[in-house]
Structures are given as C-alpha cells and as structure tokens.
Amino acid sequence: AVALAAVLGVPIGLAAGYFGGRADTAIQRVVDVLLTLPSIVLAIILASVLGTGIQSMVLAVGISSLPVYARLARAVALTLRTRDYVSAARVLGATDTRILFRHMLPNALPPLIVQASLGVGAAILVASSLGFLGLGVQPPMAEWGAMLSRGRTYITSAPFVITFPGIAIAMTVLAFNLLGDGLRDALDPRLQQLAK
C-alpha cells in the first residue's frame, strides 16, 4: 500500500512542483480535497466501494495515503527546481522528464524514504482498523484488526485473545516509527553537521 501511494504520488507531486502554473494548481486542489478527509475515513469509503479482500484493502490504504506523498514531493520539487544543477541540465538541453527523474528524484529521495517508513506504520494502523470493521482481509486469512474484532467478545473471560494482537500492532508500528526516525537522522545532512 505504501509502495502504491509512493509510486503514484511522487511523480504527480514532482511534476506539479517542477512545472508549476495551472497544472500545479489543479493537482494541488485535488490533493487538498483528498487531504480534507482523514485517511481512515477515505480508506473506509474506498474499502466499502471496492469490497473486502486483500487487494481492496491495499488499494484503499494506498489511495488514502497518496496525497501525503504528492504534497511532500511537490514541496521538495519546489526547492529543487531552483538549484544550479537543474538549471545546468536545462541549459544542456535535457528534457523535462530527464530532469525530473534523473536529477530531481534522486535528490528528493531522503525525505520520501523517511515518509515511506513512517507511512508503513500508519498503513498498518489503517489496515488494522479496516480489519476491525470487517472491511479488510476476511477469514480464514489472519489479520490483527480482525483478531481484535473477534476477540472483543471474550475480553472479560480471555483477555489474552485481544492483548497479543494489540501488542503486535503497537510494537510493529513503534518499530517502523523508530526506523523512520533513524532514517531521518541518517539521511538529513543538516543533522549530521550538527552532530559533528
């Protein structure tokens, strides 16, 4: 789901930030509309339209996460398009596609990688929420949110039925958030200069 959101959102955001003008305005208005809905609400709407199952859940979570990547890629593109290497590539006759994917995308990767690692934790929470509501993966496939939903009837007699899936969700999300924090520290050159 995170890969889907990044693969669709990053090129849209890079193109919007690089070209600017009416295309940027139109793309950003669509992204703004999608951002007005919380990602869980958008995922619930998409999952109920697409139906249950793993493919529907991946599409719902991926599309609901797409605006974040588009907005971040646009912000990075706005700062990168004024850099000297972009101007030099333009003067040398490089096409816009080459400038976007050969020069700007590699320089935009550090914040996008950090966002993707943080996005995995958010995607797990949204997918678990969909499973809890019965809109995610259906039995007999195991899914933590569905386990929590089925186990809530046994909360007084067998609390471990919901304890372990809840701990698994919390620990996995925490692990991906710590990974994202570590990647941010490792990939941000300003933080590396401050450490020296």
Side-chain angles (χ1 to χ4, degrees), residues 41-135:
V41 173
L42 186 57
I44 290 171
I45 292 168
L46 291 170
S48 32
V49 168
L50 297 170
T52 59
I54 194 160
Q55 292 88 1
S56 300
M57 186 182 65
V58 168
L59 280 173
V61 174
I63 292 171
S64 67
S65 304
L66 187 141
V68 174
Y69 295 95
R71 181 67 86 173
L72 179 62
R74 177 185 178 268
V76 172
L78 287 174
T79 60
L80 294 179
R81 74 179 184 182
T82 59
R83 298 283 170 93
D84 291 338
Y85 60 86
V86 173
S87 301
R90 201 175 293 127
V91 167
L92 290 171
T95 63
D96 290 331
T97 306
R98 181 172 173 81
I99 291 171
L100 277 171
F101 292 105
R102 177 81 173 134
H103 299 287
M104 292 179 73
L105 181 61
N107 290 297
L109 281 179
L112 293 170
I113 289 171
V114 170
Q115 178 59 42
S117 67
L118 294 172
V120 170
I124 289 170
L125 286 176
V126 172
S128 296
S129 301
L130 291 176
F132 184 82
L133 296 172
L135 297 171

Side-chain angles (χ1 to χ4, degrees), residues 3 5 20 27 53 60 75 106 112 125 147 160 170 191:
I27 290 170
L112 293 170
L125 286 176
M147 289 179 190
F160 61 87
L191 290 176

